[in-house]
Amino acid sequence: MTTPACQLYLISPLDVGGDFLAKLEEALSAAPVAAFQFRVKDVSQHEAARLAEPLQAICAAHDTAFIVNDDMALAKRLGADGVHLGQGDGDPQEARRLLGPGAQIGVTCHDSRHLAMEAGEAGADYVAFGAFFPTTTKAVEHQADPEILTWWQGLFELPCVAIGGITVDNAKVLIEAGADFLAVSGGVWAHPEGPAAAVRMFDKLMAG
C-alpha cells in the first residue's frame, strides 16, 4: 500500500493586509496546497472576519481547506473548514460540538507523544508536532525531533503535521520521517524568489 505523498499546509503571516491577497493567489495557483491556516493576533473578531473573508474565497476557488487558528467562534462565524487549537485554546470535543462533524480539527502537540495521543482520543483530525527548526514566526519553547513523526506513523492512522521553521532546504528530513503535512509560513512568504516559486519547490520535494 502506498503512503499518500506529503502535502503543503500554509500558515498566514500575522499581517494579511496590503498585497497579501495577491501573494496568496500566487501561492495557491503555483501547485496544490492542502490547507491554509488563518493566523492573526490582537484584532477583534469583527476585524478578523473582515480580513479572513477575501482569503477564504481564494482558498475555496483553489480547493484549499481554510483553517482558523485558535478561535472556534471565528471559525463558526466564517463557516471555515476547520480550526487549529493550541494547548490553551479549548478541546477538540468542544470544537466538534460547535463546528459539526465535517470540520477539520487540529491540535498542537509540541514534542509530546502523550498530548498527541490525548488529542487523537478527543477526536482531533490531525496532530501537529514542532517546532523542528528555529523559527522567527513565534518563540520556540518546544524542540521536536523528526523521530516523533516516524513513531506516530508507525502506530496511528491520524495524519501528523510538522511545523516550525520549515524551509525548502530543511524539509526533506521531515518528509522522510513521515510527516503527512508540512506547515510552512516564512519558508513560503519570505522566500527570496517569491511565494509561487517556493510552493513549486515544496511540491517537487514532496513528490520525491
Side-chain angles (χ1 to χ4, degrees), residues 57-144:
I58 290 172
C59 289
H62 290 279
D63 204 22
T64 296
F66 186 86
I67 309 291
V68 171
N69 177 261
D70 289 357
D71 191 334
M72 295 181 214
L74 179 62
K76 172 85 170 169
R77 174 175 176 166
L78 291 168
D81 296 303
V83 67
H84 182 88
L85 302 173
Q87 282 297 316
D89 299 320
D91 78 76
Q93 289 165 327
E94 187 187 346
R96 178 72 65 213
R97 280 194 296 275
L98 188 67
L99 302 177
Q104 291 291 311
I105 297 167
V107 178
T108 295
C109 300
H110 304 304
D111 56 349
S112 169
R113 300 174 183 213
H114 175 70
L115 290 177
M117 289 190 283
E118 277 191 340
E121 284 166 13
D125 294 290
Y126 69 83
V127 295
F129 294 113
F132 287 96
F133 305 108
T135 170
T136 54
T137 309
K138 60 199 288 194
V140 173
E141 294 169 28
H142 304 271
Q143 189 77 39

Side-chain angles (χ1 to χ4, degrees), residues 133 166-177 182 205:
F133 305 108
I166 299 169
T167 66
V168 171
D169 298 327
N170 63 24
K172 194 165 187 280
V173 65
L174 301 176
I175 297 167
E176 289 173 349
L182 298 180
L205 202 61

